[in-house]
Structure formats: C-alpha cells, structure tokens
Amino acid sequence: QVQLVESGGDSVQAGGSLRLSCVGSANMASIFALNNMGWYRQAPGKERELVARISSDSQVTNYLDSVKGRFTISRDNAKNMLYLQMNSLKPEDTAVYYCNAVPDYFPMGQGTQVTVSS
C-alpha cells in the first residue's frame, strides 16, 4: 500500500519559519513523479483546505491566497519528496498539514502539526 509520511511540524512564534517534508513510500516511485502534488491543512473545527500545489514537473505552482508570498512548495521526484517552506508564519496557519496528490486520492498520512503562537 502506498504511504505518505509528513514531518517538520513544530510550535513556533508568529513570524517564524518551518520547512515541512513529505516522503512517499518506495512502492510509489513509479507514480509519485506522475502526479500533481499538494499540501493540505486542517485546523480544528474547519474543513481541510488545499494550501499549495505543484505540477508533476514542478513547472506550475499555485497557492491559497492567504499564504501567497509566504509559502513555497517544491518537490524532488527522484526521492519521492515534497516540501513546503513556510515563512512569516501567522497564528491562523495553525493546523495539521498533510501532503497528497491533487486531487487527494492517495491514503492520507497522519499529518504534521504546526502551531503558531502570537
């Protein structure tokens, strides 16, 4: 079964930075590179939302308006890796962050918690 594992979440002060990582299981090697990928987040009491997405060849990226200019998504297909660099973090960025294809048809991982305090 394919598996996505997120890491890099932490508790930081507003204005801080974090870099999230996501690795796909070895059996995803043939499909990871073929898929548009994205970072999603879900805050308590809210629906999950797509924060950023990147095309399979890294040529196209899209961001939620509220994170534009602060977050950068990237990927390394040779390593089945997806990244999210988050700068100038705000309390409203607090959520559990997940990676998945866009649309999210892979099994969801456990996510990584990001907590931003003011």
Side-chain angles (χ1 to χ4, degrees), residues 20-113:
L20 305 185
S21 298
C22 167
V23 60
S25 54
N27 59 356
M28 292 184 71
S30 62
I31 56 175
F32 185 92
L34 298 178
N35 280 274
N36 297 331
M37 295 293 293
W39 283 97
Y40 301 77
R41 69 184 180 188
Q42 187 164 20
K46 296 187 177 181
E47 292 189 355
R48 188 168 65 228
E49 60 182 354
L50 178 63
V51 175
R53 64 182 173 186
I54 185 168
S55 61
S56 57
D57 61 1
S58 299
Q59 292 302 300
V60 180
T61 57
N62 301 98
Y63 298 92
L64 192 65
D65 283 347
S66 61
V67 308
K68 281 181 182 177
R70 300 188 297 120
F71 290 11
T72 303
I73 189 171
S74 61
R75 66 191 295 166
D76 184 342
N77 288 338
K79 298 179 180 179
N80 289 357
M81 294 291 296
L82 185 71
Y83 305 100
L84 186 68
Q85 178 66 44
M86 306 188 296
N87 299 326
S88 302
L89 283 161
K90 303 177 180 181
E92 50 264 43
D93 296 318
T94 295
V96 179
Y97 285 72
Y98 304 87
C99 67
N100 210 308
V102 180
D104 56 342
Y105 58 81
F106 293 137
M108 278 303 218
Q110 293 194 337
T112 186
Q113 176 71 48

